[in-house]
Amino acid sequence: MLTLEEDVDAHALRRQGWTISAIARHLGRDRKTIRAYLNGEITPGQRRQPPDAFTPFVEYCRRRLADDPHLWATTLFDEVRELGYEGAYSTFTRALRRYEVRPHCEPCHGAKGRDTAVIAHPPGEEIQFDWLELPTPPGEWGVGEHAHLLVGALSHSGRWRAQLAECEDFPHLVQALDAVLRKLGGTARRWRFDRMPTVCYASSGQITAAFAGVAKYYGVGVDICPPRRGNRKGVVEKMNHAAAQRWWRTVPDHLTVEQAQSGVDKLAVRMDERRRTVGGARTTVGELAAAETLLEIPSVPFPAELTVERTVSAQGLVQFEGNFYSVPPGLPGVRLFVVHRLGEDVVSIATAGRAVIARHRRAPRGAGQTVRDAGHVIALERRVLESFSDRAPCKTKVRRPPSEAALAEADKLRNRQATGSTAERVVVDLSHYAAVAEGLRTVPPPKEEENEE
């Protein structure tokens, strides 16, 4: 293939009267190549492409996929191979994409392959919420196969905050939602969710009566995304991806829940420095969020009742939200329930039958405090002292033969063995049998009686 410079030289020399052979020797090329370039048979700077082996099969593939848009490419490849296609499978799939043979299927694609529009989000108008399931959490967290992170993002500025939760039930949703709102500094006028079962009915999209009370408590409206329209809340979806990749992938095994929460909070604050261009002016996410007018939220959360199951430790303590609370002694290893109504400063500990056995002042979340009842402390100390002994440990290197009482018991066992049944005897007395045999020898045989006629 000639370069553009060589092609220009070849045409210039030809106009000057040079022969094709002379031009070929001058440029060090083949005469056929020079002739093809001078006659315009080859375009300079482009390699001659071999004929596409897929071209004869385009119409057949188009018709097959029009009849069945979900036909596997491997199945279609087997069919065209029988019809004479000689290319490889990778070449075949590239040709399917290049010629756009497979039609678009709307139910099987989200926003891909269809028209989209940019949705305007006025400042302070909307917050998007979504649960992010985090696989393989540290075993010490005790939350099972997934940890749960509620992410809330302001649709206008993109500022987001998140809160870890043990599960995704209604009380934990309310607790995490209130925490996210307080980290954002207020609430927008409307909340947007996908079809969470704790927020709405999946079949109709209507919000539940319980969550309607939450929305009225905070004075906001609720919007539910249509089914299979995840791009409608694309702001929070993008933040979910950032939290999963930039924070969760690096969480070590030894990290506590409180330390992990601190890590995601730091990431969210750091991402407020992201650059934005609005109306031709350069700004940041933090500056846009500061300009949003958010509504004030109530001083206490919505009074949902939070109930979690815990195991009593050997010290008579149960763990809740990064703190420890005492219970009466004698319950180590027992499963109890910690009950807390959001907004109250009291934590109750109850049995499986819902009998309250302890009530404590609630310590700040993640403070690491140990809250003990004075009565529990006294009862636990008394129980420990009762089982305590001040005697010296027993000596092991001493001689202590069996006592008289033990020997008496041994004699009883021997006599019992000797007086047992014949089948239970171990030693057989042969003299008894000898006396019986001697007596049989001294007895005269009986006389025969004469027969009477």
Side-chain angles (χ1 to χ4, degrees):
M1 183 180 71
L2 296 182
T3 63
L4 292 176
E5 291 80 5
E6 290 175 333
D7 180 66
V8 171
D9 290 342
H11 280 80
L13 295 174
R14 184 64 172 169
R15 289 179 63 85
Q16 296 174 17
W18 286 39
T19 64
I20 292 178
S21 299
I23 297 174
R25 288 192 300 269
H26 177 72
L27 296 178
R29 299 289 185 173
D30 185 75
R31 289 179 299 171
K32 295 179 182 179
T33 302
I34 297 299
R35 183 179 290 108
Y37 274 90
L38 293 176
N39 294 335
E41 299 175 5
I42 302 177
T43 303
Q46 296 182 4
R47 291 187 179 274
R48 182 179 297 176
Q49 296 292 334
D52 191 353
F54 182 75
T55 304
F57 305 93
V58 171
E59 191 59 30
Y60 174 78
C61 295
R62 198 181 303 277
R63 289 185 179 276
R64 287 288 288 121
L65 292 175
D67 297 335
D68 185 5
H70 303 287
L71 181 68
W72 281 19
T74 52
T75 305
L76 187 58
F77 178 70
D78 293 337
E79 294 180 4
V80 297
R81 284 293 296 270
E82 294 179 358
L83 296 175
Y85 180 74
E86 298 180 354
Y89 177 72
S90 58
T91 306
F92 174 73
T93 54
R94 283 196 301 269
L96 290 179
R97 293 189 293 268
R98 184 171 66 253
Y99 287 96
E100 298 181 355
V101 177
R102 190 182 296 275
H104 174 74
C105 181
E106 176 65 20
C108 295
H109 295 79
K112 185 177 180 181
R114 62 182 175 85
D115 295 335
T116 58
V118 178
I119 302 175
H121 296 295
E125 182 65 21
E126 181 183 87
I127 297 179
Q128 300 175 5
F129 290 99
D130 193 21
W131 281 114
L132 175 61
E133 290 190 351
L134 307 171
T136 61
E140 296 180 357
W141 291 14
V143 295
E145 297 181 355
H146 291 85
H148 307 275
L149 184 74
L150 183 70
V151 181
L154 293 170
S155 302
H156 174 72
S157 62
R159 170 179 280 179
W160 65 280
R161 297 294 184 264
Q163 181 65 36
L164 282 166
E166 290 190 21
C167 59
E168 298 180 6
D169 61 6
F170 179 76
H172 283 92
L173 170 64
V174 175
Q175 183 187 39
L177 187 147
D178 184 84
V180 170
L181 294 179
R182 297 186 188 281
K183 292 176 183 179
L184 289 172
T187 179
R189 294 166 181 80
R190 305 196 68 82
W191 295 346
R192 178 168 293 278
F193 297 88
D194 58 11
R195 302 204 166 198
M196 296 182 187
T198 51
V199 175
C200 69
Y201 300 102
S203 58
S204 62
Q206 296 180 346
I207 64 174
T208 63
F211 197 79
V214 177
K216 290 189 290 186
Y217 181 82
Y218 289 94
V220 299
V222 178
D223 296 319
I224 305 298
C225 289
R228 298 190 59 81
R229 292 295 183 271
N231 58 313
R232 182 60 185 83
K233 56 181 182 64
V235 177
V236 71
E237 293 285 356
K238 187 64 176 178
M239 298 306 103
N240 284 352
H241 183 69
Q245 298 300 322
R246 297 184 60 179
W247 165 69
W248 182 248
R249 292 182 69 93
T250 62
V251 171
D253 291 336
H254 59 80
L255 218 62
T256 64
V257 177
E258 291 72 25
Q259 292 171 335
Q261 180 65 62
S262 176
V264 72
D265 290 340
K266 291 178 181 178
L267 173 63
V269 173
R270 190 164 64 250
M271 290 186 68
D272 286 349
E273 301 174 0
R274 289 171 292 160
R275 299 283 184 178
R276 290 289 184 268
T277 301
V278 179
R282 299 284 292 178
T283 183
T284 64
V285 169
E287 293 173 353
L288 288 174
E292 292 197 62
T293 304
L294 301 179
L295 303 177
E296 294 185 0
I297 58 177
S299 58
V300 295
F302 178 80
E305 187 173 87
L306 194 69
T307 302
V308 294
E309 191 175 5
R310 292 291 186 268
T311 301
V312 183
S313 68
Q315 293 78 28
L317 301 173
V318 295
Q319 186 271 342
F320 178 67
E321 293 185 345
N323 300 293
F324 296 90
Y325 300 90
S326 67
V327 296
L331 298 174
V334 177
R335 301 289 289 180
L336 299 177
F337 291 92
V338 181
V339 183
H340 170 59
R341 184 175 293 276
L342 301 181
E344 295 184 357
D345 294 332
V346 177
V347 173
S348 301
I349 303 175
T351 63
R354 300 301 178 181
V356 177
I357 60 174
R359 197 182 301 272
H360 297 279
R361 172 191 55 82
R362 177 177 175 268
R365 184 185 182 94
Q369 297 183 9
T370 300
V371 181
R372 292 182 180 271
D373 183 87
H376 297 164
V377 175
I378 295 173
L380 181 62
E381 291 178 352
R382 184 181 295 114
R383 192 180 187 90
V384 172
L385 290 175
E386 288 175 355
S387 61
F388 178 76
S389 175
D390 57 356
R391 293 183 302 173
C394 297
K395 296 181 179 180
T396 58
K397 297 179 180 180
V398 294
R399 187 183 64 84
R400 289 186 178 180
S403 63
E404 294 182 359
L407 294 174
E409 291 294 329
D411 291 337
K412 291 180 181 180
L413 293 175
R414 295 189 188 96
N415 293 334
R416 178 183 179 184
Q417 184 178 3
T419 59
S421 62
T422 304
E424 295 176 350
R425 295 177 184 174
V426 178
V427 179
V428 178
D429 190 359
L430 298 178
S431 61
H432 174 73
Y433 294 98
V436 174
E438 184 66 25
L440 292 175
R441 284 195 298 270
T442 58
V443 176
K447 295 182 179 181
E448 295 182 357
E449 296 179 0
E450 297 180 357
N451 295 330
E452 296 181 357
E453 294 181 358

